[in-house]
Amino acid sequence: SSEACRLPADVVVESLAVFDERFDRLWQRQVSRFGVIGERTGDYLSWRFSQCPDIKYEIFTLTRRDELLGYVVWYRADGAVCIADMLAGEDSTALLLSEFTRLARRRKATAIRLPCFGPPDFYRQLQAAGFSRRKDSCAVLVRMSALADDWYLTMADHDTDV
């Protein structure tokens, strides 16, 4: 509901220039949620996205009292906003998606794309936020359904953007 996704007074939306130590703390809080997930420390994210010569990535965050609740790493492509990576606590994902969608609308994006491989709960949160699954030609993995329900992979887990 829109009430559930209203920005609380103590939560701040920020666009950051660097991945700082708050990303390390978020990573430590979230890593145990998933059976398979690639590293999401500040150093790794900086290497993967800030130092990328091919794409200019931007960092969108939600913080509360200087603690990172969640982030989206994104870029523009052909009028769309493409989410390369995102991570948030389960209780912050809906708010992060809601606020990021507002940003995309302000930027007049034609679509928001999020190539990912995640657990069923994550897909339910995406659908609740208005996202829908689309078929594309990008085959990533063969998934053995019962064993892969807690996998979380995004473009952060690719070693290339091409």
Side-chain angles (χ1 to χ4, degrees), residues 33-34 71-72 83 85-90 93-94 96-97 114-129 131 133 149-154:
R33 281 179 50 206
F34 306 101
Y71 69 84
V72 173
I83 297 175
D85 189 37
M86 66 174 283
L87 185 64
E90 284 182 270
T93 299
L96 179 66
L97 288 167
L114 171 57
C116 69
F117 184 80
D121 285 348
F122 181 68
Y123 290 124
R124 281 191 282 278
Q125 287 182 305
L126 287 172
Q127 285 181 314
F131 286 70
R133 280 192 175 186
D149 278 349
D150 62 351
W151 291 20
Y152 183 71
L153 303 171
T154 67

PDB file of all heavy atoms in Angstrom, residues 33-34 71-72 83 85-90 93-94 96-97 114-129 131 133 149-154:
ATOM      1  N   ARG A  33      21.219 -13.892   4.931  1.00  0.00           N
ATOM      2  CA  ARG A  33      19.864 -14.098   4.403  1.00  0.00           C
ATOM      3  C   ARG A  33      19.846 -15.023   3.198  1.00  0.00           C
ATOM      4  O   ARG A  33      18.808 -15.591   2.862  1.00  0.00           O
ATOM      5  CB  ARG A  33      19.252 -12.772   3.959  1.00  0.00           C
ATOM      6  CG  ARG A  33      18.730 -11.936   5.069  1.00  0.00           C
ATOM      7  CD  ARG A  33      18.147 -10.627   4.573  1.00  0.00           C
ATOM      8  NE  ARG A  33      17.198 -10.783   3.475  1.00  0.00           N
ATOM      9  CZ  ARG A  33      16.953  -9.823   2.586  1.00  0.00           C
ATOM     10  NH1 ARG A  33      17.575  -8.672   2.656  1.00  0.00           N
ATOM     11  NH2 ARG A  33      16.062 -10.009   1.634  1.00  0.00           N
ATOM     12  N   PHE A  34      20.958 -15.158   2.511  1.00  0.00           N
ATOM     13  CA  PHE A  34      20.997 -15.863   1.231  1.00  0.00           C
ATOM     14  C   PHE A  34      21.982 -17.032   1.279  1.00  0.00           C
ATOM     15  O   PHE A  34      23.044 -16.930   1.873  1.00  0.00           O
ATOM     16  CB  PHE A  34      21.403 -14.902   0.110  1.00  0.00           C
ATOM     17  CG  PHE A  34      20.546 -13.677   0.033  1.00  0.00           C
ATOM     18  CD1 PHE A  34      20.983 -12.473   0.553  1.00  0.00           C
ATOM     19  CD2 PHE A  34      19.282 -13.731  -0.532  1.00  0.00           C
ATOM     20  CE1 PHE A  34      20.187 -11.330   0.502  1.00  0.00           C
ATOM     21  CE2 PHE A  34      18.477 -12.603  -0.595  1.00  0.00           C
ATOM     22  CZ  PHE A  34      18.932 -11.405  -0.072  1.00  0.00           C
ATOM     23  N   TYR A  71      20.459   0.093  -0.837  1.00  0.00           N
ATOM     24  CA  TYR A  71      21.022   0.882  -1.938  1.00  0.00           C
ATOM     25  C   TYR A  71      20.598   0.286  -3.275  1.00  0.00           C
ATOM     26  O   TYR A  71      20.221  -0.882  -3.377  1.00  0.00           O
ATOM     27  CB  TYR A  71      22.554   0.928  -1.863  1.00  0.00           C
ATOM     28  CG  TYR A  71      23.222  -0.387  -2.158  1.00  0.00           C
ATOM     29  CD1 TYR A  71      23.487  -0.789  -3.464  1.00  0.00           C
ATOM     30  CD2 TYR A  71      23.581  -1.255  -1.127  1.00  0.00           C
ATOM     31  CE1 TYR A  71      24.080  -2.010  -3.735  1.00  0.00           C
ATOM     32  CE2 TYR A  71      24.169  -2.469  -1.381  1.00  0.00           C
ATOM     33  CZ  TYR A  71      24.420  -2.846  -2.693  1.00  0.00           C
ATOM     34  OH  TYR A  71      25.004  -4.065  -2.956  1.00  0.00           O
ATOM     35  N   VAL A  72      20.681   1.135  -4.296  1.00  0.00           N
ATOM     36  CA  VAL A  72      20.504   0.742  -5.693  1.00  0.00           C
ATOM     37  C   VAL A  72      21.679   1.324  -6.463  1.00  0.00           C
ATOM     38  O   VAL A  72      21.981   2.509  -6.335  1.00  0.00           O
ATOM     39  CB  VAL A  72      19.184   1.300  -6.286  1.00  0.00           C
ATOM     40  CG1 VAL A  72      19.098   1.018  -7.784  1.00  0.00           C
ATOM     41  CG2 VAL A  72      17.976   0.732  -5.562  1.00  0.00           C
ATOM     42  N   ILE A  83      18.827  -1.145 -13.142  1.00  0.00           N
ATOM     43  CA  ILE A  83      19.365  -1.433 -11.815  1.00  0.00           C
ATOM     44  C   ILE A  83      20.414  -2.524 -11.975  1.00  0.00           C
ATOM     45  O   ILE A  83      20.095  -3.649 -12.362  1.00  0.00           O
ATOM     46  CB  ILE A  83      18.254  -1.888 -10.843  1.00  0.00           C
ATOM     47  CG1 ILE A  83      17.234  -0.767 -10.655  1.00  0.00           C
ATOM     48  CG2 ILE A  83      18.863  -2.320  -9.509  1.00  0.00           C
ATOM     49  CD1 ILE A  83      16.032  -1.167  -9.797  1.00  0.00           C
ATOM     50  N   ASP A  85      22.530  -3.364  -9.384  1.00  0.00           N
ATOM     51  CA  ASP A  85      22.581  -4.080  -8.117  1.00  0.00           C
ATOM     52  C   ASP A  85      21.724  -3.335  -7.114  1.00  0.00           C
ATOM     53  O   ASP A  85      21.567  -2.115  -7.195  1.00  0.00           O
ATOM     54  CB  ASP A  85      24.026  -4.172  -7.602  1.00  0.00           C
ATOM     55  CG  ASP A  85      24.162  -5.086  -6.392  1.00  0.00           C
ATOM     56  OD1 ASP A  85      23.463  -6.120  -6.342  1.00  0.00           O
ATOM     57  OD2 ASP A  85      24.955  -4.768  -5.494  1.00  0.00           O
ATOM     58  N   MET A  86      21.184  -4.087  -6.186  1.00  0.00           N
ATOM     59  CA  MET A  86      20.487  -3.484  -5.065  1.00  0.00           C
ATOM     60  C   MET A  86      20.544  -4.454  -3.904  1.00  0.00           C
ATOM     61  O   MET A  86      20.638  -5.659  -4.089  1.00  0.00           O
ATOM     62  CB  MET A  86      19.038  -3.135  -5.402  1.00  0.00           C
ATOM     63  CG  MET A  86      18.129  -4.294  -5.668  1.00  0.00           C
ATOM     64  SD  MET A  86      16.402  -3.799  -5.885  1.00  0.00           S
ATOM     65  CE  MET A  86      15.905  -3.505  -4.204  1.00  0.00           C
ATOM     66  N   LEU A  87      20.541  -3.896  -2.712  1.00  0.00           N
ATOM     67  CA  LEU A  87      20.517  -4.719  -1.507  1.00  0.00           C
ATOM     68  C   LEU A  87      19.875  -3.893  -0.407  1.00  0.00           C
ATOM     69  O   LEU A  87      20.190  -2.710  -0.249  1.00  0.00           O
ATOM     70  CB  LEU A  87      21.929  -5.135  -1.095  1.00  0.00           C
ATOM     71  CG  LEU A  87      22.038  -6.092   0.095  1.00  0.00           C
ATOM     72  CD1 LEU A  87      21.393  -7.447  -0.218  1.00  0.00           C
ATOM     73  CD2 LEU A  87      23.502  -6.289   0.498  1.00  0.00           C
ATOM     74  N   ALA A  88      18.971  -4.516   0.314  1.00  0.00           N
ATOM     75  CA  ALA A  88      18.302  -3.845   1.430  1.00  0.00           C
ATOM     76  C   ALA A  88      17.832  -4.915   2.399  1.00  0.00           C
ATOM     77  O   ALA A  88      17.667  -6.084   2.024  1.00  0.00           O
ATOM     78  CB  ALA A  88      17.107  -3.024   0.938  1.00  0.00           C
ATOM     79  N   GLY A  89      17.600  -4.511   3.617  1.00  0.00           N
ATOM     80  CA  GLY A  89      16.973  -5.418   4.563  1.00  0.00           C
ATOM     81  C   GLY A  89      15.578  -5.757   4.085  1.00  0.00           C
ATOM     82  O   GLY A  89      14.953  -4.984   3.359  1.00  0.00           O
ATOM     83  N   GLU A  90      15.075  -6.929   4.485  1.00  0.00           N
ATOM     84  CA  GLU A  90      13.737  -7.337   4.052  1.00  0.00           C
ATOM     85  C   GLU A  90      12.696  -6.277   4.375  1.00  0.00           C
ATOM     86  O   GLU A  90      11.787  -6.028   3.586  1.00  0.00           O
ATOM     87  CB  GLU A  90      13.347  -8.654   4.720  1.00  0.00           C
ATOM     88  CG  GLU A  90      14.040  -9.855   4.114  1.00  0.00           C
ATOM     89  CD  GLU A  90      13.590 -11.140   4.762  1.00  0.00           C
ATOM     90  OE1 GLU A  90      14.212 -11.540   5.752  1.00  0.00           O
ATOM     91  OE2 GLU A  90      12.612 -11.713   4.256  1.00  0.00           O
ATOM     92  N   THR A  93      13.144  -3.181   1.731  1.00  0.00           N
ATOM     93  CA  THR A  93      13.132  -3.363   0.273  1.00  0.00           C
ATOM     94  C   THR A  93      11.980  -2.622  -0.382  1.00  0.00           C
ATOM     95  O   THR A  93      12.163  -1.937  -1.391  1.00  0.00           O
ATOM     96  CB  THR A  93      13.097  -4.862  -0.087  1.00  0.00           C
ATOM     97  OG1 THR A  93      14.271  -5.490   0.450  1.00  0.00           O
ATOM     98  CG2 THR A  93      13.071  -5.070  -1.585  1.00  0.00           C
ATOM     99  N   ALA A  94      10.775  -2.730   0.158  1.00  0.00           N
ATOM    100  CA  ALA A  94       9.609  -2.065  -0.450  1.00  0.00           C
ATOM    101  C   ALA A  94       9.802  -0.551  -0.481  1.00  0.00           C
ATOM    102  O   ALA A  94       9.503   0.106  -1.484  1.00  0.00           O
ATOM    103  CB  ALA A  94       8.333  -2.428   0.302  1.00  0.00           C
ATOM    104  N   LEU A  96      12.693   1.077  -0.428  1.00  0.00           N
ATOM    105  CA  LEU A  96      13.760   1.364  -1.384  1.00  0.00           C
ATOM    106  C   LEU A  96      13.221   1.350  -2.814  1.00  0.00           C
ATOM    107  O   LEU A  96      13.490   2.268  -3.596  1.00  0.00           O
ATOM    108  CB  LEU A  96      14.896   0.346  -1.226  1.00  0.00           C
ATOM    109  CG  LEU A  96      16.083   0.505  -2.172  1.00  0.00           C
ATOM    110  CD1 LEU A  96      16.835   1.800  -1.887  1.00  0.00           C
ATOM    111  CD2 LEU A  96      17.022  -0.690  -2.051  1.00  0.00           C
ATOM    112  N   LEU A  97      12.441   0.338  -3.154  1.00  0.00           N
ATOM    113  CA  LEU A  97      11.870   0.256  -4.499  1.00  0.00           C
ATOM    114  C   LEU A  97      10.925   1.427  -4.777  1.00  0.00           C
ATOM    115  O   LEU A  97      10.937   2.001  -5.864  1.00  0.00           O
ATOM    116  CB  LEU A  97      11.127  -1.066  -4.673  1.00  0.00           C
ATOM    117  CG  LEU A  97      12.007  -2.313  -4.779  1.00  0.00           C
ATOM    118  CD1 LEU A  97      11.166  -3.571  -4.630  1.00  0.00           C
ATOM    119  CD2 LEU A  97      12.776  -2.319  -6.096  1.00  0.00           C
ATOM    120  N   LEU A 114      15.675  -4.582 -14.143  1.00  0.00           N
ATOM    121  CA  LEU A 114      16.445  -5.202 -13.063  1.00  0.00           C
ATOM    122  C   LEU A 114      16.714  -6.658 -13.412  1.00  0.00           C
ATOM    123  O   LEU A 114      15.916  -7.537 -13.111  1.00  0.00           O
ATOM    124  CB  LEU A 114      15.694  -5.110 -11.731  1.00  0.00           C
ATOM    125  CG  LEU A 114      16.257  -5.902 -10.551  1.00  0.00           C
ATOM    126  CD1 LEU A 114      17.695  -5.520 -10.256  1.00  0.00           C
ATOM    127  CD2 LEU A 114      15.393  -5.696  -9.319  1.00  0.00           C
ATOM    128  N   PRO A 115      17.828  -6.918 -14.105  1.00  0.00           N
ATOM    129  CA  PRO A 115      18.174  -8.318 -14.360  1.00  0.00           C
ATOM    130  C   PRO A 115      18.675  -8.940 -13.052  1.00  0.00           C
ATOM    131  O   PRO A 115      19.637  -8.440 -12.459  1.00  0.00           O
ATOM    132  CB  PRO A 115      19.282  -8.243 -15.406  1.00  0.00           C
ATOM    133  CG  PRO A 115      19.785  -6.850 -15.380  1.00  0.00           C
ATOM    134  CD  PRO A 115      18.761  -5.995 -14.708  1.00  0.00           C
ATOM    135  N   CYS A 116      17.988  -9.955 -12.590  1.00  0.00           N
ATOM    136  CA  CYS A 116      18.395 -10.567 -11.321  1.00  0.00           C
ATOM    137  C   CYS A 116      17.885 -11.992 -11.229  1.00  0.00           C
ATOM    138  O   CYS A 116      17.053 -12.424 -12.023  1.00  0.00           O
ATOM    139  CB  CYS A 116      17.894  -9.760 -10.133  1.00  0.00           C
ATOM    140  SG  CYS A 116      16.103  -9.822  -9.929  1.00  0.00           S
ATOM    141  N   PHE A 117      18.393 -12.676 -10.260  1.00  0.00           N
ATOM    142  CA  PHE A 117      18.035 -14.052  -9.967  1.00  0.00           C
ATOM    143  C   PHE A 117      17.898 -14.096  -8.460  1.00  0.00           C
ATOM    144  O   PHE A 117      18.897 -13.976  -7.742  1.00  0.00           O
ATOM    145  CB  PHE A 117      19.186 -14.941 -10.457  1.00  0.00           C
ATOM    146  CG  PHE A 117      18.934 -16.397 -10.324  1.00  0.00           C
ATOM    147  CD1 PHE A 117      18.163 -17.078 -11.246  1.00  0.00           C
ATOM    148  CD2 PHE A 117      19.503 -17.105  -9.289  1.00  0.00           C
ATOM    149  CE1 PHE A 117      17.960 -18.436 -11.133  1.00  0.00           C
ATOM    150  CE2 PHE A 117      19.306 -18.463  -9.163  1.00  0.00           C
ATOM    151  CZ  PHE A 117      18.532 -19.129 -10.087  1.00  0.00           C
ATOM    152  N   GLY A 118      16.667 -14.143  -7.960  1.00  0.00           N
ATOM    153  CA  GLY A 118      16.478 -14.013  -6.524  1.00  0.00           C
ATOM    154  C   GLY A 118      15.472 -14.989  -5.964  1.00  0.00           C
ATOM    155  O   GLY A 118      14.817 -15.729  -6.700  1.00  0.00           O
ATOM    156  N   PRO A 119      15.315 -14.953  -4.652  1.00  0.00           N
ATOM    157  CA  PRO A 119      14.366 -15.845  -3.988  1.00  0.00           C
ATOM    158  C   PRO A 119      12.922 -15.397  -4.236  1.00  0.00           C
ATOM    159  O   PRO A 119      12.662 -14.243  -4.571  1.00  0.00           O
ATOM    160  CB  PRO A 119      14.742 -15.727  -2.508  1.00  0.00           C
ATOM    161  CG  PRO A 119      15.439 -14.424  -2.386  1.00  0.00           C
ATOM    162  CD  PRO A 119      16.084 -14.144  -3.710  1.00  0.00           C
ATOM    163  N   PRO A 120      11.971 -16.315  -4.070  1.00  0.00           N
ATOM    164  CA  PRO A 120      10.554 -15.992  -4.331  1.00  0.00           C
ATOM    165  C   PRO A 120      10.054 -14.762  -3.576  1.00  0.00           C
ATOM    166  O   PRO A 120       9.292 -13.967  -4.142  1.00  0.00           O
ATOM    167  CB  PRO A 120       9.817 -17.258  -3.870  1.00  0.00           C
ATOM    168  CG  PRO A 120      10.833 -18.349  -4.017  1.00  0.00           C
ATOM    169  CD  PRO A 120      12.154 -17.718  -3.700  1.00  0.00           C
ATOM    170  N   ASP A 121      10.460 -14.569  -2.327  1.00  0.00           N
ATOM    171  CA  ASP A 121      10.013 -13.397  -1.563  1.00  0.00           C
ATOM    172  C   ASP A 121      10.445 -12.097  -2.233  1.00  0.00           C
ATOM    173  O   ASP A 121       9.715 -11.112  -2.210  1.00  0.00           O
ATOM    174  CB  ASP A 121      10.544 -13.438  -0.128  1.00  0.00           C
ATOM    175  CG  ASP A 121       9.800 -14.443   0.727  1.00  0.00           C
ATOM    176  OD1 ASP A 121       8.736 -14.941   0.293  1.00  0.00           O
ATOM    177  OD2 ASP A 121      10.281 -14.734   1.835  1.00  0.00           O
ATOM    178  N   PHE A 122      11.645 -12.084  -2.801  1.00  0.00           N
ATOM    179  CA  PHE A 122      12.141 -10.886  -3.475  1.00  0.00           C
ATOM    180  C   PHE A 122      11.277 -10.581  -4.695  1.00  0.00           C
ATOM    181  O   PHE A 122      10.891  -9.429  -4.923  1.00  0.00           O
ATOM    182  CB  PHE A 122      13.608 -11.055  -3.858  1.00  0.00           C
ATOM    183  CG  PHE A 122      14.189  -9.854  -4.531  1.00  0.00           C
ATOM    184  CD1 PHE A 122      14.365  -8.669  -3.830  1.00  0.00           C
ATOM    185  CD2 PHE A 122      14.560  -9.888  -5.853  1.00  0.00           C
ATOM    186  CE1 PHE A 122      14.901  -7.542  -4.441  1.00  0.00           C
ATOM    187  CE2 PHE A 122      15.099  -8.779  -6.474  1.00  0.00           C
ATOM    188  CZ  PHE A 122      15.269  -7.605  -5.771  1.00  0.00           C
ATOM    189  N   TYR A 123      10.934 -11.616  -5.477  1.00  0.00           N
ATOM    190  CA  TYR A 123      10.073 -11.399  -6.640  1.00  0.00           C
ATOM    191  C   TYR A 123       8.699 -10.900  -6.221  1.00  0.00           C
ATOM    192  O   TYR A 123       8.102 -10.065  -6.895  1.00  0.00           O
ATOM    193  CB  TYR A 123       9.946 -12.672  -7.477  1.00  0.00           C
ATOM    194  CG  TYR A 123      11.222 -13.037  -8.200  1.00  0.00           C
ATOM    195  CD1 TYR A 123      11.803 -14.283  -8.027  1.00  0.00           C
ATOM    196  CD2 TYR A 123      11.854 -12.139  -9.052  1.00  0.00           C
ATOM    197  CE1 TYR A 123      12.983 -14.629  -8.679  1.00  0.00           C
ATOM    198  CE2 TYR A 123      13.020 -12.463  -9.699  1.00  0.00           C
ATOM    199  CZ  TYR A 123      13.582 -13.719  -9.521  1.00  0.00           C
ATOM    200  OH  TYR A 123      14.734 -14.045 -10.164  1.00  0.00           O
ATOM    201  N   ARG A 124       8.183 -11.397  -5.100  1.00  0.00           N
ATOM    202  CA  ARG A 124       6.887 -10.911  -4.613  1.00  0.00           C
ATOM    203  C   ARG A 124       6.974  -9.426  -4.256  1.00  0.00           C
ATOM    204  O   ARG A 124       6.049  -8.661  -4.529  1.00  0.00           O
ATOM    205  CB  ARG A 124       6.423 -11.738  -3.420  1.00  0.00           C
ATOM    206  CG  ARG A 124       5.832 -13.078  -3.834  1.00  0.00           C
ATOM    207  CD  ARG A 124       5.127 -13.780  -2.686  1.00  0.00           C
ATOM    208  NE  ARG A 124       6.039 -14.431  -1.765  1.00  0.00           N
ATOM    209  CZ  ARG A 124       6.582 -15.632  -1.963  1.00  0.00           C
ATOM    210  NH1 ARG A 124       6.310 -16.312  -3.059  1.00  0.00           N
ATOM    211  NH2 ARG A 124       7.390 -16.155  -1.066  1.00  0.00           N
ATOM    212  N   GLN A 125       8.087  -9.007  -3.642  1.00  0.00           N
ATOM    213  CA  GLN A 125       8.257  -7.590  -3.316  1.00  0.00           C
ATOM    214  C   GLN A 125       8.354  -6.754  -4.591  1.00  0.00           C
ATOM    215  O   GLN A 125       7.815  -5.649  -4.648  1.00  0.00           O
ATOM    216  CB  GLN A 125       9.481  -7.383  -2.439  1.00  0.00           C
ATOM    217  CG  GLN A 125       9.280  -7.875  -1.018  1.00  0.00           C
ATOM    218  CD  GLN A 125      10.489  -7.620  -0.154  1.00  0.00           C
ATOM    219  OE1 GLN A 125      11.606  -8.024  -0.481  1.00  0.00           O
ATOM    220  NE2 GLN A 125      10.279  -6.942   0.960  1.00  0.00           N
ATOM    221  N   LEU A 126       9.043  -7.269  -5.599  1.00  0.00           N
ATOM    222  CA  LEU A 126       9.124  -6.551  -6.873  1.00  0.00           C
ATOM    223  C   LEU A 126       7.736  -6.402  -7.496  1.00  0.00           C
ATOM    224  O   LEU A 126       7.373  -5.319  -7.949  1.00  0.00           O
ATOM    225  CB  LEU A 126      10.054  -7.278  -7.845  1.00  0.00           C
ATOM    226  CG  LEU A 126      11.542  -7.204  -7.547  1.00  0.00           C
ATOM    227  CD1 LEU A 126      12.308  -8.126  -8.489  1.00  0.00           C
ATOM    228  CD2 LEU A 126      12.064  -5.781  -7.657  1.00  0.00           C
ATOM    229  N   GLN A 127       6.962  -7.474  -7.504  1.00  0.00           N
ATOM    230  CA  GLN A 127       5.609  -7.413  -8.081  1.00  0.00           C
ATOM    231  C   GLN A 127       4.729  -6.444  -7.306  1.00  0.00           C
ATOM    232  O   GLN A 127       3.974  -5.680  -7.900  1.00  0.00           O
ATOM    233  CB  GLN A 127       4.990  -8.800  -8.116  1.00  0.00           C
ATOM    234  CG  GLN A 127       5.576  -9.661  -9.219  1.00  0.00           C
ATOM    235  CD  GLN A 127       4.942 -11.033  -9.267  1.00  0.00           C
ATOM    236  OE1 GLN A 127       4.763 -11.682  -8.249  1.00  0.00           O
ATOM    237  NE2 GLN A 127       4.612 -11.469 -10.473  1.00  0.00           N
ATOM    238  N   ALA A 128       4.840  -6.453  -5.988  1.00  0.00           N
ATOM    239  CA  ALA A 128       4.048  -5.534  -5.164  1.00  0.00           C
ATOM    240  C   ALA A 128       4.407  -4.083  -5.465  1.00  0.00           C
ATOM    241  O   ALA A 128       3.579  -3.190  -5.334  1.00  0.00           O
ATOM    242  CB  ALA A 128       4.258  -5.841  -3.679  1.00  0.00           C
ATOM    243  N   ALA A 129       5.657  -3.845  -5.892  1.00  0.00           N
ATOM    244  CA  ALA A 129       6.101  -2.496  -6.230  1.00  0.00           C
ATOM    245  C   ALA A 129       5.765  -2.130  -7.675  1.00  0.00           C
ATOM    246  O   ALA A 129       6.132  -1.047  -8.135  1.00  0.00           O
ATOM    247  CB  ALA A 129       7.610  -2.374  -5.995  1.00  0.00           C
ATOM    248  N   PHE A 131       6.634  -4.029 -10.463  1.00  0.00           N
ATOM    249  CA  PHE A 131       7.523  -4.638 -11.447  1.00  0.00           C
ATOM    250  C   PHE A 131       6.857  -5.906 -11.985  1.00  0.00           C
ATOM    251  O   PHE A 131       6.061  -6.538 -11.306  1.00  0.00           O
ATOM    252  CB  PHE A 131       8.866  -5.016 -10.811  1.00  0.00           C
ATOM    253  CG  PHE A 131       9.760  -3.852 -10.516  1.00  0.00           C
ATOM    254  CD1 PHE A 131       9.450  -2.946  -9.507  1.00  0.00           C
ATOM    255  CD2 PHE A 131      10.925  -3.664 -11.240  1.00  0.00           C
ATOM    256  CE1 PHE A 131      10.279  -1.875  -9.230  1.00  0.00           C
ATOM    257  CE2 PHE A 131      11.766  -2.599 -10.957  1.00  0.00           C
ATOM    258  CZ  PHE A 131      11.439  -1.698  -9.962  1.00  0.00           C
ATOM    259  N   ARG A 133       7.729  -9.588 -14.486  1.00  0.00           N
ATOM    260  CA  ARG A 133       8.767 -10.401 -15.142  1.00  0.00           C
ATOM    261  C   ARG A 133       8.612 -10.290 -16.643  1.00  0.00           C
ATOM    262  O   ARG A 133       7.505 -10.290 -17.167  1.00  0.00           O
ATOM    263  CB  ARG A 133       8.625 -11.860 -14.739  1.00  0.00           C
ATOM    264  CG  ARG A 133       9.210 -12.158 -13.411  1.00  0.00           C
ATOM    265  CD  ARG A 133       9.278 -13.653 -13.232  1.00  0.00           C
ATOM    266  NE  ARG A 133       9.959 -13.937 -11.984  1.00  0.00           N
ATOM    267  CZ  ARG A 133      10.281 -15.138 -11.590  1.00  0.00           C
ATOM    268  NH1 ARG A 133       9.987 -16.183 -12.335  1.00  0.00           N
ATOM    269  NH2 ARG A 133      10.901 -15.318 -10.456  1.00  0.00           N
ATOM    270  N   ASP A 149      16.219 -21.530  -3.846  1.00  0.00           N
ATOM    271  CA  ASP A 149      15.247 -20.549  -3.381  1.00  0.00           C
ATOM    272  C   ASP A 149      15.857 -19.411  -2.580  1.00  0.00           C
ATOM    273  O   ASP A 149      15.183 -18.436  -2.292  1.00  0.00           O
ATOM    274  CB  ASP A 149      14.151 -21.228  -2.544  1.00  0.00           C
ATOM    275  CG  ASP A 149      13.088 -21.861  -3.428  1.00  0.00           C
ATOM    276  OD1 ASP A 149      13.089 -21.593  -4.649  1.00  0.00           O
ATOM    277  OD2 ASP A 149      12.258 -22.602  -2.893  1.00  0.00           O
ATOM    278  N   ASP A 150      17.109 -19.532  -2.182  1.00  0.00           N
ATOM    279  CA  ASP A 150      17.721 -18.442  -1.426  1.00  0.00           C
ATOM    280  C   ASP A 150      18.944 -17.873  -2.143  1.00  0.00           C
ATOM    281  O   ASP A 150      19.824 -17.308  -1.523  1.00  0.00           O
ATOM    282  CB  ASP A 150      18.057 -18.894  -0.001  1.00  0.00           C
ATOM    283  CG  ASP A 150      19.060 -20.034   0.040  1.00  0.00           C
ATOM    284  OD1 ASP A 150      19.387 -20.599  -1.030  1.00  0.00           O
ATOM    285  OD2 ASP A 150      19.525 -20.353   1.144  1.00  0.00           O
ATOM    286  N   TRP A 151      19.007 -18.006  -3.460  1.00  0.00           N
ATOM    287  CA  TRP A 151      20.075 -17.408  -4.245  1.00  0.00           C
ATOM    288  C   TRP A 151      19.709 -15.961  -4.548  1.00  0.00           C
ATOM    289  O   TRP A 151      18.546 -15.635  -4.767  1.00  0.00           O
ATOM    290  CB  TRP A 151      20.271 -18.138  -5.561  1.00  0.00           C
ATOM    291  CG  TRP A 151      20.843 -19.516  -5.435  1.00  0.00           C
ATOM    292  CD1 TRP A 151      20.855 -20.315  -4.329  1.00  0.00           C
ATOM    293  CD2 TRP A 151      21.460 -20.269  -6.465  1.00  0.00           C
ATOM    294  NE1 TRP A 151      21.446 -21.509  -4.620  1.00  0.00           N
ATOM    295  CE2 TRP A 151      21.827 -21.513  -5.931  1.00  0.00           C
ATOM    296  CE3 TRP A 151      21.736 -20.004  -7.797  1.00  0.00           C
ATOM    297  CZ2 TRP A 151      22.466 -22.489  -6.683  1.00  0.00           C
ATOM    298  CZ3 TRP A 151      22.362 -20.982  -8.547  1.00  0.00           C
ATOM    299  CH2 TRP A 151      22.731 -22.207  -7.992  1.00  0.00           C
ATOM    300  N   TYR A 152      20.726 -15.082  -4.593  1.00  0.00           N
ATOM    301  CA  TYR A 152      20.491 -13.686  -4.968  1.00  0.00           C
ATOM    302  C   TYR A 152      21.675 -13.224  -5.812  1.00  0.00           C
ATOM    303  O   TYR A 152      22.785 -13.056  -5.299  1.00  0.00           O
ATOM    304  CB  TYR A 152      20.346 -12.806  -3.726  1.00  0.00           C
ATOM    305  CG  TYR A 152      20.036 -11.361  -4.078  1.00  0.00           C
ATOM    306  CD1 TYR A 152      18.793 -11.002  -4.592  1.00  0.00           C
ATOM    307  CD2 TYR A 152      20.984 -10.370  -3.921  1.00  0.00           C
ATOM    308  CE1 TYR A 152      18.507  -9.696  -4.930  1.00  0.00           C
ATOM    309  CE2 TYR A 152      20.709  -9.051  -4.256  1.00  0.00           C
ATOM    310  CZ  TYR A 152      19.464  -8.726  -4.758  1.00  0.00           C
ATOM    311  OH  TYR A 152      19.190  -7.434  -5.104  1.00  0.00           O
ATOM    312  N   LEU A 153      21.446 -13.042  -7.103  1.00  0.00           N
ATOM    313  CA  LEU A 153      22.498 -12.654  -8.038  1.00  0.00           C
ATOM    314  C   LEU A 153      21.996 -11.500  -8.905  1.00  0.00           C
ATOM    315  O   LEU A 153      20.856 -11.512  -9.361  1.00  0.00           O
ATOM    316  CB  LEU A 153      22.886 -13.839  -8.924  1.00  0.00           C
ATOM    317  CG  LEU A 153      23.345 -15.101  -8.188  1.00  0.00           C
ATOM    318  CD1 LEU A 153      23.486 -16.270  -9.151  1.00  0.00           C
ATOM    319  CD2 LEU A 153      24.648 -14.856  -7.451  1.00  0.00           C
ATOM    320  N   THR A 154      22.866 -10.513  -9.122  1.00  0.00           N
ATOM    321  CA  THR A 154      22.548  -9.365  -9.972  1.00  0.00           C
ATOM    322  C   THR A 154      23.741  -9.109 -10.882  1.00  0.00           C
ATOM    323  O   THR A 154      24.683  -9.903 -10.921  1.00  0.00           O
ATOM    324  CB  THR A 154      22.280  -8.093  -9.130  1.00  0.00           C
ATOM    325  OG1 THR A 154      23.501  -7.699  -8.507  1.00  0.00           O
ATOM    326  CG2 THR A 154      21.195  -8.330  -8.088  1.00  0.00           C
TER     327      THR A 154
END
